[in-house]
mmCIF file with all atom_site columns, all heavy atoms in Angstrom:
data_model
loop_
_atom_site.group_PDB
_atom_site.id
_atom_site.type_symbol
_atom_site.label_atom_id
_atom_site.label_alt_id
_atom_site.label_comp_id
_atom_site.label_asym_id
_atom_site.label_entity_id
_atom_site.label_seq_id
_atom_site.pdbx_PDB_ins_code
_atom_site.Cartn_x
_atom_site.Cartn_y
_atom_site.Cartn_z
_atom_site.occupancy
_atom_site.B_iso_or_equiv
_atom_site.pdbx_formal_charge
_atom_site.auth_seq_id
_atom_site.auth_comp_id
_atom_site.auth_asym_id
_atom_site.auth_atom_id
_atom_site.pdbx_PDB_model_num
ATOM 1  N N   . GLY A 1 229 ? 169.094 178.229 39.208 1.00 50.00 ? 250 GLY A N   1
ATOM 2  C CA  . GLY A 1 229 ? 168.880 178.838 40.484 1.00 50.00 ? 250 GLY A CA  1
ATOM 3  C C   . GLY A 1 229 ? 169.376 178.093 41.595 1.00 50.00 ? 250 GLY A C   1
ATOM 4  O O   . GLY A 1 229 ? 169.876 178.475 42.550 1.00 50.00 ? 250 GLY A O   1
ATOM 5  N N   . GLU A 1 230 ? 168.953 176.745 41.513 1.00 49.00 ? 251 GLU A N   1
ATOM 6  C CA  . GLU A 1 230 ? 169.387 175.847 42.666 1.00 49.00 ? 251 GLU A CA  1
ATOM 7  C C   . GLU A 1 230 ? 170.830 175.807 42.803 1.00 49.00 ? 251 GLU A C   1
ATOM 8  O O   . GLU A 1 230 ? 171.428 175.768 43.910 1.00 49.00 ? 251 GLU A O   1
ATOM 9  C CB  . GLU A 1 230 ? 168.662 174.479 42.473 1.00 49.00 ? 251 GLU A CB  1
ATOM 10 C CG  . GLU A 1 230 ? 167.230 174.458 42.772 1.00 49.00 ? 251 GLU A CG  1
ATOM 11 C CD  . GLU A 1 230 ? 166.611 173.164 42.270 1.00 49.00 ? 251 GLU A CD  1
ATOM 12 O OE1 . GLU A 1 230 ? 167.364 172.324 42.059 1.00 49.00 ? 251 GLU A OE1 1
ATOM 13 O OE2 . GLU A 1 230 ? 165.358 173.008 42.444 1.00 49.00 ? 251 GLU A OE2 1
ATOM 14 N N   . LYS A 1 231 ? 171.597 175.609 41.658 1.00 48.00 ? 252 LYS A N   1
ATOM 15 C CA  . LYS A 1 231 ? 173.059 175.507 41.630 1.00 48.00 ? 252 LYS A CA  1
ATOM 16 C C   . LYS A 1 231 ? 173.645 176.640 42.332 1.00 48.00 ? 252 LYS A C   1
ATOM 17 O O   . LYS A 1 231 ? 174.534 176.606 43.056 1.00 48.00 ? 252 LYS A O   1
ATOM 18 C CB  . LYS A 1 231 ? 173.553 175.156 40.272 1.00 48.00 ? 252 LYS A CB  1
ATOM 19 C CG  . LYS A 1 231 ? 173.203 173.783 39.783 1.00 48.00 ? 252 LYS A CG  1
ATOM 20 C CD  . LYS A 1 231 ? 173.731 173.612 38.364 1.00 48.00 ? 252 LYS A CD  1
ATOM 21 C CE  . LYS A 1 231 ? 173.314 172.181 37.835 1.00 48.00 ? 252 LYS A CE  1
ATOM 22 N NZ  . LYS A 1 231 ? 173.775 171.883 36.428 1.00 48.00 ? 252 LYS A NZ  1
ATOM 23 N N   . SER A 1 232 ? 173.134 177.897 41.932 1.00 46.00 ? 253 SER A N   1
ATOM 24 C CA  . SER A 1 232 ? 173.821 179.079 42.311 1.00 46.00 ? 253 SER A CA  1
ATOM 25 C C   . SER A 1 232 ? 173.536 179.284 43.848 1.00 46.00 ? 253 SER A C   1
ATOM 26 O O   . SER A 1 232 ? 174.391 179.768 44.442 1.00 46.00 ? 253 SER A O   1
ATOM 27 C CB  . SER A 1 232 ? 173.252 180.248 41.555 1.00 46.00 ? 253 SER A CB  1
ATOM 28 O OG  . SER A 1 232 ? 171.888 180.370 41.764 1.00 46.00 ? 253 SER A OG  1
ATOM 29 N N   . ASN A 1 233 ? 172.345 178.886 44.263 1.00 49.00 ? 254 ASN A N   1
ATOM 30 C CA  . ASN A 1 233 ? 172.187 178.950 45.746 1.00 49.00 ? 254 ASN A CA  1
ATOM 31 C C   . ASN A 1 233 ? 172.907 178.008 46.525 1.00 49.00 ? 254 ASN A C   1
ATOM 32 O O   . ASN A 1 233 ? 173.267 178.277 47.701 1.00 49.00 ? 254 ASN A O   1
ATOM 33 C CB  . ASN A 1 233 ? 170.607 178.762 45.958 1.00 49.00 ? 254 ASN A CB  1
ATOM 34 C CG  . ASN A 1 233 ? 169.791 179.903 45.388 1.00 49.00 ? 254 ASN A CG  1
ATOM 35 O OD1 . ASN A 1 233 ? 170.253 181.011 45.285 1.00 49.00 ? 254 ASN A OD1 1
ATOM 36 N ND2 . ASN A 1 233 ? 168.526 179.578 45.148 1.00 49.00 ? 254 ASN A ND2 1
ATOM 37 N N   . ARG A 1 234 ? 173.220 176.760 45.933 1.00 49.00 ? 255 ARG A N   1
ATOM 38 C CA  . ARG A 1 234 ? 174.011 175.834 46.713 1.00 49.00 ? 255 ARG A CA  1
ATOM 39 C C   . ARG A 1 234 ? 175.399 176.041 46.794 1.00 49.00 ? 255 ARG A C   1
ATOM 40 O O   . ARG A 1 234 ? 176.252 175.453 47.527 1.00 49.00 ? 255 ARG A O   1
ATOM 41 C CB  . ARG A 1 234 ? 173.595 174.394 46.208 1.00 49.00 ? 255 ARG A CB  1
ATOM 42 C CG  . ARG A 1 234 ? 172.246 173.949 46.494 1.00 49.00 ? 255 ARG A CG  1
ATOM 43 C CD  . ARG A 1 234 ? 172.031 172.699 45.761 1.00 49.00 ? 255 ARG A CD  1
ATOM 44 N NE  . ARG A 1 234 ? 170.579 172.313 45.907 1.00 49.00 ? 255 ARG A NE  1
ATOM 45 C CZ  . ARG A 1 234 ? 170.050 171.212 45.411 1.00 49.00 ? 255 ARG A CZ  1
ATOM 46 N NH1 . ARG A 1 234 ? 170.785 170.411 44.597 1.00 49.00 ? 255 ARG A NH1 1
ATOM 47 N NH2 . ARG A 1 234 ? 168.778 170.915 45.480 1.00 49.00 ? 255 ARG A NH2 1
#
Side-chain angles (χ1 to χ4, degrees):
E251 289 175 1
K252 288 179 182 177
S253 61
N254 291 335
R255 290 176 184 174

